[in-house]
Amino acid sequence: MTANTQADLTDYQTELGQTIGDISRAWRHQMNQRLKPFGLNLSTRQVLLQLHRHPGGLMQHDLARRLGIESPTLVRLLDILEEKEWIQRTVSSDDKRRKYAVLTSKANEQLKIIEKLSKELRAEMMQGLSISEIESSTQLMRKMKNNLLSD
């Protein structure tokens, strides 16, 4: 590989990395703007979606790990969601130190809103992309994710 080719590769890698960051920030901004009128934000969305995927509930420690946040941050989010009666925290019957978070039936309306807004934003973001472009991009992103997680 020539020095010029290596420089081009580095430039493309840099641009791709920056673009991924830009897309992530734009997604968060747009999603927060759309969720705000419903008393939601991206953080509460993530908690509700994780709990929806685990109907039996999740231990707070596991939920924090899945979301990539610290336990004190999660506790604040759970306090907000519990106040709105969208989640309930229960203590494990076999270990009183372990707390589980579970969705309540009141969260169902928020989940419908989240699903609708997410679907709309995804469609806007991918407007004009062909199925093959989406498929190729997904494979590329999976490969990059696996490279990061292979440590």
Side-chain angles (χ1 to χ4, degrees):
M1 186 179 291
T2 66
N4 195 28
T5 306
Q6 183 61 42
D8 289 344
L9 176 61
T10 301
D11 288 346
Y12 284 129
Q13 289 172 334
T14 299
E15 184 177 2
L16 179 58
Q18 289 171 344
T19 302
I20 291 168
D22 292 344
I23 291 167
S24 178
R25 282 185 294 281
W27 171 271
R28 286 192 312 268
H29 175 75
Q30 286 294 323
M31 187 54 66
N32 275 326
Q33 292 300 108
R34 292 163 195 236
L35 291 169
K36 192 175 185 177
F38 302 99
L40 294 160
N41 61 36
L42 196 58
S43 298
T44 55
R45 171 191 181 270
Q46 294 304 101
V47 173
L48 292 174
L49 287 176
Q50 280 297 319
L51 293 176
H52 179 65
R53 292 177 187 137
H54 299 88
L58 285 170
M59 241 183 8
Q60 286 184 195
H61 172 76
D62 292 335
L63 183 54
R65 184 180 48 77
R66 287 175 185 274
L67 295 170
I69 60 175
E70 299 294 323
S71 288
T73 304
L74 175 63
V75 168
R76 285 191 298 278
L77 288 170
L78 293 178
D79 287 344
I80 292 166
L81 293 172
E82 192 171 42
E83 190 175 299
K84 294 178 184 230
E85 299 180 353
W86 295 344
I87 64 121
Q88 179 180 358
R89 287 185 264 200
T90 59
V91 177
S92 170
S93 58
D94 44 313
D95 185 347
K96 302 293 182 205
R97 296 171 294 176
R98 294 196 302 181
K99 289 184 181 175
Y100 285 84
V102 294
L103 289 177
T104 66
S105 59
K106 279 193 163 189
N108 288 336
E109 189 59 35
Q110 281 63 44
L111 288 164
K112 288 177 187 171
I113 292 165
I114 288 168
E115 184 178 319
K116 178 182 180 289
L117 295 176
S118 297
K119 185 177 180 179
E120 289 172 358
L121 184 54
R122 239 187 329 272
E124 287 176 33
M125 179 176 69
M126 296 187 197
Q127 185 176 7
L129 298 178
S130 69
I131 290 174
S132 65
E133 287 173 319
I134 294 170
E135 184 179 27
S136 297
S137 299
T138 301
Q139 290 173 356
L140 174 73
M141 295 295 158
R142 272 195 204 119
K143 190 181 270 189
M144 290 188 322
K145 180 178 85 172
N146 289 338
N147 289 343
L148 289 172
L149 297 176
S150 67
D151 292 345

